[in-house]
Amino acid sequence: MGMDDIARRGLVLFGCGHMGSAMLKGWLARGLAPQAITVIDHNPSDWLQAQEVRLNGALPEDPAAVVIAVKPQGMFDSLPAIARYGAAEGAGRSLVITVAAGIPLVAYERALGAETPLVRAMPNMPSSIGRGVTAIIGNAATDAAGLGMAEALLAAVGAVVRLEDESQMDAVTAVSGSGPAYVFHLIDTLAAAGEAEGLSRDLALQLALGTVAGAGELAQRADESPAELRAGVASPGGTTEAALRVLMDDEGGLGPVMKRAVAAAARRSRELADG
């Protein structure tokens, strides 16, 4: 069970917006035949219509995987078509993967049947350029092979991590799901601070963008931890150390602010899940 199984039995993608398109581009780039993919999208983009996938055609009877990439508010409209692949309809052999935010596995189990193999995934915004990170968790009916298939499919848009429990999804939402917005804000505020010190807005933004992108890439490639890398930049008595005294203050520094921000996002994620 894996990509070979998908190539043989096919794959259905419900919804082809930003995230669905990113995944589809990744699958095609990795060699999955367009004719193995059925896409259901009520407002297909020009790009999607130019692909050779099976678009809004008859649904296959027994696909290896069904990927749900519709917006959460559109889930109700899509469920009747998706239900045919659930255990409640006597099927349940297809792996159902959802990237719809905020909807727990139990909601899909109620609609499709508890014996349906289900994987819930939380990708983030950089997945649109293949640089995302996606967390996945399966239900009790999903075996190791099913998780492996989900991981292979989602690796098309970046790194994949496996969770131990679905309760961790709120923290994932707060760290990686919402996290790109924190980084964008960091870039903006770093540029604004440079502008306040006499740089032009364009130059300050160029410096901030390049610094954040380069530092992130270095942190991914380096053997050292982020803390070790930080120490390598900060010479004793130097300019970086002066700035870090502010950023690492126990009360007003970046650490406690980030902790409060992530806690607020996780709390809101739990509230939304509870309705």
Side-chain angles (χ1 to χ4, degrees), residues 26-91:
W27 300 333
L28 295 174
R30 292 179 176 221
L32 188 60
Q35 289 300 301
I37 305 169
T38 300
V39 179
I40 304 299
D41 190 275
H42 299 308
N43 188 27
S45 65
D46 292 342
W47 174 83
L48 176 57
Q49 294 182 66
Q51 307 310 303
E52 296 180 356
V53 299
R54 299 178 183 273
L55 179 58
N56 294 328
L59 290 169
E61 287 299 319
D62 183 35
V66 176
V67 180
I68 307 172
V70 299
K71 294 183 182 299
Q73 56 268 34
M75 186 62 64
F76 180 79
D77 294 334
S78 302
L79 276 178
I82 298 168
R84 65 185 293 160
Y85 298 116
E89 296 290 331

Side-chain angles (χ1 to χ4, degrees), residues 186-227:
L186 171 63
I187 293 168
D188 196 35
T189 55
L190 181 56
E195 191 176 3
E197 288 298 319
L199 299 175
S200 70
R201 174 63 181 174
D202 288 346
L203 176 56
L205 184 57
Q206 184 180 359
L207 291 170
L209 278 168
T211 298
V212 171
E217 186 73 24
L218 177 59
Q220 280 202 318
R221 294 188 184 187
D223 293 330
E224 298 92 337
S225 69

Side-chain angles (χ1 to χ4, degrees), residues 115-160:
E115 298 305 312
T116 306
L118 295 159
V119 171
R120 181 182 172 190
M122 170 60 74
N124 65 355
M125 190 177 181
S127 297
S128 64
I129 60 166
R131 294 295 303 274
V133 58
T134 301
I136 63 173
I137 184 72
N139 69 344
T142 302
D143 58 15
L147 280 174
M149 178 183 287
E151 186 168 341
L153 285 170
L154 291 160
V157 292
V160 181

